[in-house]
Structure formats: C-alpha cells, structure tokens
Amino acid sequence: MERHILDACRKVVDRVGEPEAIAFHGAFSERAKEGCSAGDVELGRVMRLVSGVFSMCSREDPSQPFGPIATFPDGTRTLMPEDLREEELDDLEAVLQASENPVFVARIADALWIRRRNPAFARRAITAYLASGEMTEGDSWVPRKDSLRRAAQLASG
C-alpha cells in the first residue's frame, strides 16, 4: 500500500477525539470525499473501505457481532464483514499498521479475524478492545461496555 494512504489513515485517526467507532466512520468518510475530490481514486477507495468497517454497529450476538448501520427499502444494506473481498482484506491488513489507536486497531483486527480466522488478529483485537475500554470517560458508558463485551466474546470463542 502506498505510504501516503497510510499517512492519511494515521492523520484521520489522530484527529478523531472520541473513542467510538461511529466517530471514525464519519472522519474516514469525509477523508474519502476529499481524496476523490482531489483525484486520488485509490485514497478515496481505501478511506471508504475503512469508513465502512467503522459503520458496522455492535451487536450482542457473538455469532454475528456486527450489524449494518442501515438497511434500505430495496433490501441493500451497509457493509458487513461477509461483504469484504480478499483484496479489501489485504488492504485492511496493510492499513492496520497505520496507527496503534486501540479503537482503530480493535475494529480493523476484529474484521480481519471474522473473515480470515487468524488467531493473531483475534489476540490483537482483544488487547485493543480492552485498551479502548479504558479510554472511555464522561457520560457515555456504552463504548466501554461494547468494547469489554466484544473482548470477552473473542476470548471465549
């Protein structure tokens, strides 16, 4: 993967101030639009992919831990792990090196675990989910609960 794409990922992650996946979804979506507007089709494609991974909603069902953020009247829906193609999984694996931010690492590694079933991704996701649970402060306990629940699901599964 081109260095400028990894740098762009790192910058987006560094700008996100909230420990919630939906904040990453919005930030990567915005960067995808900027990349496309500037004519960098590859940057736009990768940023859209990462945004899609962060659009998935957490579920309590360990057999299907993510749901779509939206389902449309025609039956289509937003991205789910099973939609990821092999080349997109390769892109996510490359993007994983862009940052050590626990929220970023947890979601990307988890999507890779779901599709590739490599235990190294599960271990990395567990560690990152536990760390991201510690990042939560303030009024919202939901991100902490979701992170700890998913870490426990991965560890027991």
Side-chain angles (χ1 to χ4, degrees):
M1 178 167 291
E2 295 180 37
R3 187 88 217 143
H4 82 282
I5 294 174
L6 293 176
D7 289 342
C9 280
R10 185 176 304 108
K11 287 176 183 172
V12 170
V13 171
D14 289 347
R15 280 196 320 249
V16 175
E18 302 172 41
E20 296 186 47
I22 198 67
F24 285 82
H25 164 61
F28 277 102
S29 178
E30 186 60 35
R31 187 62 180 102
K33 290 174 192 168
E34 293 168 2
C36 289
S37 293
D40 193 336
V41 176
E42 185 65 7
L43 177 65
R45 184 188 67 77
V46 173
M47 296 296 117
R48 266 192 313 279
L49 170 63
V50 176
S51 175
V53 170
F54 281 98
S55 75
M56 298 182 294
C57 298
S58 295
R59 288 185 168 170
E60 297 204 16
D61 181 358
S63 68
Q64 192 169 28
F66 298 108
I69 196 170
T71 301
F72 304 102
D74 66 358
T76 60
R77 58 168 169 65
T78 55
L79 185 74
M80 293 284 291
E82 59 265 23
D83 300 330
L84 295 167
R85 299 182 319 269
E86 280 304 312
E87 55 273 9
E88 292 172 324
L89 295 170
D90 292 341
D91 288 337
L92 290 175
E93 204 167 328
V95 162
L96 192 55
Q97 66 185 305
S99 176
E100 290 298 318
N101 177 289
V103 177
F104 177 79
V105 170
R107 180 59 67 94
I108 301 293
D110 199 355
L112 288 165
W113 158 249
I114 289 169
R115 287 302 309 283
R116 293 224 161 130
R117 294 313 229 203
N118 179 335
F121 293 127
R123 286 189 296 272
R124 190 145 185 216
I126 291 166
T127 301
Y129 276 125
L130 292 173
S132 68
E134 295 302 316
M135 293 173 64
T136 305
E137 295 179 11
D139 297 333
S140 180
W141 51 268
V142 175
R144 179 180 174 89
K145 176 189 70 94
D146 288 345
S147 293
L148 296 177
R149 181 187 66 239
R150 186 60 185 143
Q153 288 171 345
L154 286 166
S156 64

